[in-house]
Amino acid sequence: AVSPTISGLTVSNVTASSLRVWWESAGGYAWFLVEYRAVGEETRNVTVGGDLRHALLAGLNPSTRYTITVYGLTASGRSAPLTTEASTEVDPSEAMKLDTLTFSQVTAGSFRITWRAEKVFESFLVVYGVRGSDVTHNVSVTGDGRFAVITGLRPGTAYTVRVYGVSASGQTQPLTTHIT
């Protein structure tokens, strides 16, 4: 490996299809090589001039975790690697893949809520609370589940229910409904 060193690898400006990676270096490199890869994908790379301390990684897949490695390059070799991981955001259109909230088995103190999901999510988050209140309760459901049974409710009380699809990089916008 060659000196000087590079350090302080950070990620910013993350979207569903791109992110910017930043690093620190005292100088002395002709170029920087940024390699990035998601599990099951080929390694891709970007080379930037030695005067730069950032690179834009574009054409990424949404909701995907990437391993990012930066090397400083000189005529005589490359530095030790500096590596981090970052995930792209959920594609906003994925929210459309979660729909159709339906209530069933409604009693004075409980209900079953069911939803449809056209995309595979790691899990679902059901958030419910008394309508107009900031106090909420959460129920996690595995990614292959499509319903939750909510119990311990107060009879005759209006509730707000939100369902989120959760993936590696975050959650969708909620599907929201109300029940009394």
Side-chain angles (χ1 to χ4, degrees):
V2 253
S3 307
T5 61
I6 50 177
S7 62
L9 188 56
T10 59
V11 174
S12 68
N13 303 90
V14 178
T15 70
S17 63
S18 67
L19 58 84
R20 186 169 297 278
V21 61
W22 299 81
W23 58 89
E24 298 170 11
S25 175
Y29 292 111
W31 306 276
F32 290 98
L33 172 65
V34 181
E35 293 182 341
Y36 55 103
R37 174 180 187 275
V39 173
E41 292 183 6
E42 294 290 319
T43 299
R44 295 186 270 174
N45 65 66
V46 174
T47 304
V48 297
D51 58 330
L52 295 177
R53 299 296 183 269
H54 61 90
L56 178 65
L57 309 184
L60 306 178
N61 294 317
S63 304
T64 304
R65 187 160 196 78
Y66 286 87
T67 300
I68 304 160
T69 304
V70 177
Y71 300 93
L73 304 176
T74 67
S76 62
R78 70 183 187 181
S79 70
L82 187 60
T83 301
T84 192
E85 289 188 345
S87 295
T88 51
E89 291 184 347
V90 173
D91 186 328
S93 67
E94 288 183 358
M96 302 310 292
K97 309 230 170 139
L98 177 62
D99 62 23
T100 317
L101 292 178
T102 308
F103 291 104
S104 62
Q105 301 173 11
V106 179
T107 69
S110 68
F111 61 81
R112 175 183 165 127
I113 186 163
T114 306
W115 56 89
R116 264 186 16 164
E118 295 177 15
K119 178 190 179 298
V120 175
F121 290 97
E122 288 181 12
S123 65
F124 296 95
L125 177 63
V126 180
V127 179
Y128 66 97
V130 173
R131 191 170 185 173
S133 169
D134 291 335
V135 177
T136 59
H137 306 279
N138 298 341
V139 175
S140 289
V141 177
T142 60
D144 58 351
R146 296 293 183 269
F147 74 91
V149 176
I150 308 299
T151 59
L153 304 175
R154 291 190 308 233
T157 303
Y159 287 87
T160 299
V161 183
R162 293 181 179 85
V163 178
Y164 299 84
V166 180
S167 61
S169 62
Q171 59 193 30
T172 64
Q173 291 296 312
L175 284 177
T176 303
T177 191
H178 305 282
I179 187 171
T180 300

